[in-house]
Amino acid sequence: MISSPFPQPQVPPGTVSADLAGKHVIVTGVAGGIGGCVARHFAAAGAHVSAADIREQALRAVVEDIKSTGASIQAIPVDISNPDSVRAMTDAARTAFGPVDILVHAAAIDAPRGLAWELDDSHWQRIINVDLNGSFWCAKSVIPEMIEKRQGRIILISSVSAKIGSASTSCAYNAAKSGVIGMVIGLAKQLEQHNVLVNAVAPGSIGTGEPMIEEEITFEVANYPLPIVGPDPVARACLYLAGSGGSWTSGSVLNVSGGRLHGW
Ligand SMILES: NC(=O)c1ccc[n+]([C@@H]2O[C@H](COP(=O)([O-])OP(=O)(O)OC[C@H]3O[C@@H](n4cnc5c(N)ncnc54)[C@H](O)[C@@H]3O)[C@@H](O)[C@H]2O)c1
């Protein structure tokens, strides 16, 4: 996990939740701030967690730490931009823990600083490939079995920057994260009839991911009405969408942004 300039409260030890106990969740991006926090919360709620990331060593360290709490969790290396690798991830997840009930897709890369039209073309392709295409490959890999079971939850992590942009970083990231929202709306429309619910969470700046420079930290602190407290609220939003509380929520984008973003 990348160190944050903001306070990162400890995840409180969870009590086993009847909602999620025994469910099988794939969480991507577990070597990172939000994915790691999501994995901890689902593990504490009694779910079986298939934890995936491209950074295998860092992933295994997080998984071992969570496993030491007695949790049911396995590490699966994956490159989400490669559909074959994603299919292999989901197959490995199924082999260990059976059919997948929930996907929380948090793996992504940040945009580089700068103006998109001044950066090399490859940055655009890379961000769209990982952040947008990767979200689709992950969703696609779990949809058929969820349709078959007539039950499933898919939660994709977007960003407030899909809706408000960013003055300092390439718009490739905003484009990819807006694409994730469009994908959620389109998938939700086609999957509700199968009782498979698809939603997005749009976090504000929570201090994980790429380290921020001093001016960015000052800007973020000044622009969030509520104090920035790390990834915990994002993980709790995922728990809500995955559990019985979220059983009538589909095609929504949940802003978890400390009041930075209002409305749609
Ligand atoms: N941190 C924030 O402030 C913030 C704000 C809004 C949205 N988000 C979104 O939340 C999600 C998680 O962000 P984070 O803060 O935990 O970032 P992070 O950088 O800490 O974690 C992202 C993880 O994704 C993994 N990853 C990158 N490319 C991959 C690939 N090709 N295959 C598999 N794994 C890959 C990385 O190894 C990393 O562990 C991302 O979708 C991000 O865009 C973050």
Side-chain angles (χ1 to χ4, degrees), residues 86-87 108 121 146 150 169 191 194 217 235 237 243 258:
V86 172
R87 275 188 281 272
D121 296 346
M146 289 183 175
R150 286 199 57 74
T169 57
L191 289 170
H194 302 289
I217 296 171

mmCIF file of all heavy atoms in Angstrom, residues 86-87 108 121 146 150 169 191 194 217 235 237 243 258:
data_model
loop_
_atom_site.group_PDB
_atom_site.id
_atom_site.type_symbol
_atom_site.label_atom_id
_atom_site.label_comp_id
_atom_site.label_asym_id
_atom_site.label_seq_id
_atom_site.Cartn_x
_atom_site.Cartn_y
_atom_site.Cartn_z
ATOM 1 N N VAL A 86 -7.342 -12.337 -17.107
ATOM 2 C CA VAL A 86 -8.537 -12.140 -16.262
ATOM 3 C C VAL A 86 -9.362 -13.427 -16.199
ATOM 4 O O VAL A 86 -9.834 -13.818 -15.126
ATOM 5 C CB VAL A 86 -9.380 -10.950 -16.790
ATOM 6 C CG1 VAL A 86 -10.707 -10.862 -16.044
ATOM 7 C CG2 VAL A 86 -8.598 -9.654 -16.647
ATOM 8 N N ARG A 87 -9.502 -14.102 -17.348
ATOM 9 C CA ARG A 87 -10.247 -15.382 -17.335
ATOM 10 C C ARG A 87 -9.539 -16.381 -16.414
ATOM 11 O O ARG A 87 -10.185 -17.096 -15.652
ATOM 12 C CB ARG A 87 -10.361 -15.946 -18.747
ATOM 13 C CG ARG A 87 -11.546 -15.369 -19.514
ATOM 14 C CD ARG A 87 -11.750 -16.076 -20.847
ATOM 15 N NE ARG A 87 -10.824 -15.602 -21.863
ATOM 16 C CZ ARG A 87 -11.058 -14.569 -22.665
ATOM 17 N NH1 ARG A 87 -12.186 -13.899 -22.577
ATOM 18 N NH2 ARG A 87 -10.166 -14.179 -23.562
ATOM 19 N N ALA A 108 -6.482 -0.315 -10.952
ATOM 20 C CA ALA A 108 -6.408 0.738 -11.991
ATOM 21 C C ALA A 108 -5.053 1.418 -11.882
ATOM 22 O O ALA A 108 -4.309 1.201 -10.920
ATOM 23 C CB ALA A 108 -7.522 1.769 -11.808
ATOM 24 N N ASP A 121 1.452 9.311 -27.182
ATOM 25 C CA ASP A 121 0.189 8.616 -27.458
ATOM 26 C C ASP A 121 0.003 7.381 -26.577
ATOM 27 O O ASP A 121 -1.119 7.016 -26.232
ATOM 28 C CB ASP A 121 0.145 8.160 -28.925
ATOM 29 C CG ASP A 121 0.149 9.343 -29.884
ATOM 30 O OD1 ASP A 121 -0.090 10.485 -29.429
ATOM 31 O OD2 ASP A 121 0.420 9.123 -31.083
ATOM 32 N N MET A 146 -23.105 -15.657 -12.976
ATOM 33 C CA MET A 146 -24.072 -14.908 -12.162
ATOM 34 C C MET A 146 -25.462 -14.994 -12.790
ATOM 35 O O MET A 146 -26.466 -15.135 -12.096
ATOM 36 C CB MET A 146 -23.631 -13.447 -12.001
ATOM 37 C CG MET A 146 -22.418 -13.279 -11.099
ATOM 38 S SD MET A 146 -21.985 -11.544 -10.876
ATOM 39 C CE MET A 146 -20.654 -11.683 -9.666
ATOM 40 N N ARG A 150 -28.731 -16.697 -11.241
ATOM 41 C CA ARG A 150 -29.707 -15.625 -11.002
ATOM 42 C C ARG A 150 -29.367 -14.845 -9.734
ATOM 43 O O ARG A 150 -30.244 -14.493 -8.940
ATOM 44 C CB ARG A 150 -31.138 -16.186 -10.930
ATOM 45 C CG ARG A 150 -31.711 -16.591 -12.286
ATOM 46 C CD ARG A 150 -33.220 -16.703 -12.262
ATOM 47 N NE ARG A 150 -33.897 -15.486 -11.832
ATOM 48 C CZ ARG A 150 -34.027 -14.387 -12.589
ATOM 49 N NH1 ARG A 150 -33.545 -14.353 -13.800
ATOM 50 N NH2 ARG A 150 -34.652 -13.337 -12.114
ATOM 51 N N THR A 169 -3.835 16.520 -14.156
ATOM 52 C CA THR A 169 -3.487 15.220 -14.763
ATOM 53 C C THR A 169 -4.202 15.004 -16.093
ATOM 54 O O THR A 169 -5.203 15.655 -16.391
ATOM 55 C CB THR A 169 -3.845 14.052 -13.811
ATOM 56 O OG1 THR A 169 -5.228 14.130 -13.504
ATOM 57 C CG2 THR A 169 -3.023 14.087 -12.543
ATOM 58 N N LEU A 191 -28.698 -6.627 -17.059
ATOM 59 C CA LEU A 191 -28.519 -7.720 -16.085
ATOM 60 C C LEU A 191 -29.537 -7.733 -14.951
ATOM 61 O O LEU A 191 -29.669 -8.745 -14.251
ATOM 62 C CB LEU A 191 -27.095 -7.668 -15.508
ATOM 63 C CG LEU A 191 -26.009 -8.089 -16.502
ATOM 64 C CD1 LEU A 191 -24.616 -7.785 -15.960
ATOM 65 C CD2 LEU A 191 -26.131 -9.570 -16.834
ATOM 66 N N HIS A 194 -31.825 -10.549 -14.622
ATOM 67 C CA HIS A 194 -31.222 -11.798 -14.144
ATOM 68 C C HIS A 194 -30.864 -11.718 -12.644
ATOM 69 O O HIS A 194 -30.148 -12.581 -12.138
ATOM 70 C CB HIS A 194 -29.954 -12.117 -14.941
ATOM 71 C CG HIS A 194 -30.201 -12.241 -16.415
ATOM 72 N ND1 HIS A 194 -30.886 -13.308 -16.969
ATOM 73 C CD2 HIS A 194 -29.872 -11.427 -17.452
ATOM 74 C CE1 HIS A 194 -30.962 -13.157 -18.284
ATOM 75 N NE2 HIS A 194 -30.356 -12.023 -18.605
ATOM 76 N N ILE A 217 -1.977 18.184 -2.170
ATOM 77 C CA ILE A 217 -2.526 17.890 -0.833
ATOM 78 C C ILE A 217 -3.269 19.121 -0.313
ATOM 79 O O ILE A 217 -4.403 19.034 0.161
ATOM 80 C CB ILE A 217 -1.402 17.483 0.142
ATOM 81 C CG1 ILE A 217 -0.756 16.179 -0.342
ATOM 82 C CG2 ILE A 217 -1.945 17.333 1.560
ATOM 83 C CD1 ILE A 217 0.506 15.795 0.402
ATOM 84 N N ALA A 235 -14.635 1.331 1.153
ATOM 85 C CA ALA A 235 -14.844 -0.101 1.416
ATOM 86 C C ALA A 235 -16.234 -0.337 1.995
ATOM 87 O O ALA A 235 -16.927 -1.301 1.636
ATOM 88 C CB ALA A 235 -13.769 -0.618 2.370
ATOM 89 N N ALA A 237 -18.900 1.441 1.495
ATOM 90 C CA ALA A 237 -19.890 1.601 0.409
ATOM 91 C C ALA A 237 -19.991 0.297 -0.391
ATOM 92 O O ALA A 237 -21.085 -0.123 -0.778
ATOM 93 C CB ALA A 237 -19.487 2.760 -0.491
ATOM 94 N N GLY A 243 -24.158 -6.273 -0.030
ATOM 95 C CA GLY A 243 -24.972 -6.963 0.969
ATOM 96 C C GLY A 243 -26.468 -6.802 0.722
ATOM 97 O O GLY A 243 -26.898 -6.261 -0.301
ATOM 98 N N GLY A 258 -16.797 12.769 0.579
ATOM 99 C CA GLY A 258 -16.718 13.765 1.648
ATOM 100 C C GLY A 258 -17.407 15.076 1.301
ATOM 101 O O GLY A 258 -16.991 16.139 1.754
#
